[in-house]
Amino acid sequence: MNTIYTCILVGLVCGIISAFGIGGGSLLMIWLTAILSMEQRTAQGINLLYFLPTAVAALLVHNKNHMVKWKVALPAIACGCITAALFSWVGNHLELNLLRKLFGGFLVVVGFCEIRKKPKKQSDSSPSMER
Amino acid sequence: MNTKKSRPMVAGALAGAVNGLFGAGGGMVLVPLLISYVGLEDKLAFSTAISIILPLSIVSIVVYWLNGTFPLSQAWPYLIGGLAGGLLGGICFRKVSANFLHKALGLFILWGGIKLLI
């Protein structure tokens, strides 16, 4: 279950789903923790690294299409960097089992919201790239 | 301070906290906040969220690395697959019914959460 090919395949599937904008990052985390039973912290480290190349590629495309609202992004980044540093430190010092349970609780809430989400109109609401 | 102006800051701070603590989930918190709290359109919210989570993740990676959590040797096969998947997904972005995927994904996340809790 944990050969290089399986890893690449799982990465591929999560990458496709992420590109649809429906949280592929959490899928990889579930694979690593709930299915492979990997240590929670290591899985988190892998997931953070996993996000980087995909995000850079996506951002280059979105920015070129003027799809990034920098007026919103910049203040969010400024504050977010502080809490990210703080809570990453916390995440690295929490007891592993507690961290795992907290994440499990978070997933239950997120999963529940995802199921309850109202369906959107489809047809012509596909993202138009023309400007 | 003007509340309208401070809203992106609050949203960013929350996303940074979740993303740092769990190494995941920043987007799941941020996208709904950008839509309903900050007032961005759906499609702008998704792309703007990536621009916010990316630097936050870099900060988190540095802190994780300083604390000895830097599993690059285990991460690289996923990275390769992820990059290819991202490109592929970007190409067929418009052709998939997202509603079905949302439900399926929600169930899978719920299952994963329960599995971690018990």
Side-chain angles (χ1 to χ4, degrees), chain B:
Chain B
M1 194 192 290
N2 185 333
T3 44
K4 264 272 158 61
K5 273 195 172 161
S6 64
R7 286 184 175 193
M9 296 175 158
V10 174
L14 280 172
V18 170
N19 209 56
L21 185 61
F22 297 135
M28 299 232 142
V29 173
L30 191 54
V31 172
L33 278 177
L34 288 180
I35 295 170
S36 56
Y37 182 58
V38 178
L40 285 190
E41 284 171 54
D42 283 24
K43 41 182 188 170
L44 275 180
F46 175 55
S47 38
T48 303
I50 298 176
S51 77
I52 298 169
I53 307 279
L54 180 61
L56 303 190
S57 291
I58 293 173
V59 169
S60 289
I61 287 171
V62 172
V63 176
Y64 274 63
W65 173 64
L66 289 174
N67 284 282
T69 310
F70 191 70
L72 188 59
S73 59
Q74 285 158 277
W76 71 265
Y78 293 107
L79 264 79
I80 294 177
L83 204 53
L87 292 172
L88 213 67
I91 293 167
C92 45
F93 189 67
R94 297 165 206 204
K95 294 172 192 160
V96 172
S97 146
N99 288 333
F100 164 73
L101 275 175
H102 270 292
K103 299 277 181 242
L105 182 84
L107 280 174
F108 184 63
I109 293 175
L110 201 58
W111 171 82
I114 292 167
K115 184 125 196 280
L116 290 182
L117 282 174
I118 55 175

Side-chain angles (χ1 to χ4, degrees), chain A residues 37-100:
Chain A
S37 300
M38 186 181 276
E39 186 199 78
Q40 180 71 24
R41 201 142 36 228
T42 311
Q44 297 189 180
I46 292 178
N47 198 55
L48 282 170
L49 289 169
Y50 174 79
F51 178 68
L52 281 190
T54 330
V56 170
L59 199 55
L60 289 175
V61 177
H62 288 314
N63 193 40
K64 213 176 138 203
N65 290 319
H66 301 276
M67 294 286 284
V68 177
K69 195 104 174 168
W70 288 106
K71 249 171 98 175
V72 169
L74 291 176
I77 292 168
C79 286
C81 281
I82 301 169
T83 52
L86 203 69
F87 280 84
S88 298
W89 186 86
V90 173
N92 271 277
H93 289 83
L94 272 187
E95 198 255 316
L96 275 173
N97 199 41
L98 175 62
L99 192 59
R100 187 179 161 94

Side-chain angles (χ1 to χ4, degrees), chain A residues 6-64:
Chain A
T6 324
C7 297
I8 294 177
L9 188 69
V10 170
L12 185 84
V13 172
C14 294
I16 293 174
I17 297 176
S18 303
F20 295 146
I22 46 178
S26 60
L27 290 186
L28 182 61
M29 278 301 288
I30 294 170
W31 168 261
L32 296 174
T33 56
I35 298 175
L36 293 188
S37 300
M38 186 181 276
E39 186 199 78
Q40 180 71 24
R41 201 142 36 228
T42 311
Q44 297 189 180
I46 292 178
N47 198 55
L48 282 170
L49 289 169
Y50 174 79
F51 178 68
L52 281 190
T54 330
V56 170
L59 199 55
L60 289 175
V61 177
H62 288 314
N63 193 40
K64 213 176 138 203

